[in-house]
Amino acid sequence: MTDSPRYAIYFAAGADNALSRFGAELLGYDAYTGDEISFPQEALHVAPDWRDITADPRKYGFHGTLKAPMALVSGRTEAELEAACATFAEKARPMPVIQPVVDAISGFIAIIPAEPVDALQQLAADCVRDFDSFRPALTAEDRARRKPERLSGRQREYLDRWGYPYVMEEFRFHMTLTGRLDAERRGPILEMLRGRFATLKLDTLAIDRIALFRQDDAKAGFRIIGEWKLARTS
C-alpha cells in the first residue's frame, strides 16, 4: 500500500444523527471531525481491551460500504470524484429502507439489515459500477492481500473485475462495530451492543445519502470530505 490518498463511497447517517454518534463513540473516532472520542464505560466494563477490539473498524470510521477503498487512477482527480458523487446522487432511485439490527457477521459484530432489501443491493451495485472508472487496476500485491485462495470462484471473479470480492450478490450491507471475535467473547459483547442500540429506538433506517471518505496515507484514519443526499423516485 502506498502513501497516496485512498477514497471510498460509504453510507454515513449524518453528522448530527444519533446513529452516527452511537457508532463514533463505540469506535472511539468521529469520521466527520477526525476527533478521537472516549469509549463508553459500559464497553470498557465488558471488554477492558475495547481499543484493541475496535482497532480495525476505527481506522475506516463508522460507515456502511458501498464502494470499497481505492486510490485514484492516474489522470483522475478528487474534484472529478466529488463531481461524480454529486451526479450519482442526483439520479432518482427507490430509497432503500432497512430494519437495522445488531448481529454477528463473519465473526465480527455490526449493524445489518434484518432482511435483504433489493433497493439497497441495487444501490450498492450501481456504486460499484458507476465509480469504477476512478479505480486503478488491481495489482498483484493487492490481489494477494485479499487471500484469493480463501474466496469462492465467484468472489475471485469479482475481485479481478471490480477490485473487491464482496459485490453484486455477494454484497452484505453492514456498519461494523468490532473486529473479529471468537465465539466465547462474542456473546457478552453482542448483548451489550444490542442493549445500547435499543436505546436509539431506531426501527427503520433510510440509506438516504452517500459520503466520500478520504484516507490521506496508510497510517491515517478515513475522513468524510463530502456528503450528498440521494434523490428518490416519487
Side-chain angles (χ1 to χ4, degrees), residues 8-22:
I9 313 297
Y10 290 156
F11 167 75
D16 298 326
N17 190 283
L19 178 61
S20 293
R21 295 194 296 273
F22 170 85

Side-chain angles (χ1 to χ4, degrees), residues 128-193:
V128 168
R129 295 188 185 97
D130 287 19
F131 294 106
D132 205 56
S133 64
F134 289 91
R135 180 182 63 84
L138 192 70
T139 67
E141 181 183 5
D142 289 336
R143 190 178 192 276
R145 190 179 295 116
R146 287 291 177 187
K147 302 186 184 306
E149 68 278 4
R150 299 182 183 180
L151 301 174
S152 70
R154 178 58 59 86
Q155 289 168 348
R156 284 194 296 273
E157 290 178 13
Y158 287 155
L159 175 63
D160 293 333
R161 172 63 184 88
W162 302 108
Y164 191 64
Y166 307 112
V167 298
M168 308 310 169
E169 76 275 10
E170 298 291 332
F171 171 75
R172 297 178 68 187
F173 181 83
H174 57 278
M175 303 184 77
T176 307
L177 297 171
T178 73
R180 283 187 169 82
L181 300 164
D182 60 43
E184 183 177 338
R185 295 207 70 189
R186 199 180 305 143
I189 293 173
L190 181 58
E191 182 180 1
M192 180 272 293
L193 290 173

Side-chain angles (χ1 to χ4, degrees), residues 203-220:
D203 295 327
T204 61
L205 174 63
I207 311 302
D208 61 354
R209 66 192 68 205
I210 58 171
L212 179 59
F213 282 56
R214 181 179 66 204
Q215 182 190 38
D216 290 336
D217 58 58
K219 295 181 180 179

Side-chain angles (χ1 to χ4, degrees), residues 101-112 172 186 190 194:
V101 297
V102 175
D103 210 344
I105 174 175
S106 301
F108 57 91
I109 299 173
I111 296 171
I112 63 173
R172 297 178 68 187
R186 199 180 305 143
L190 181 58
R194 283 175 169 167

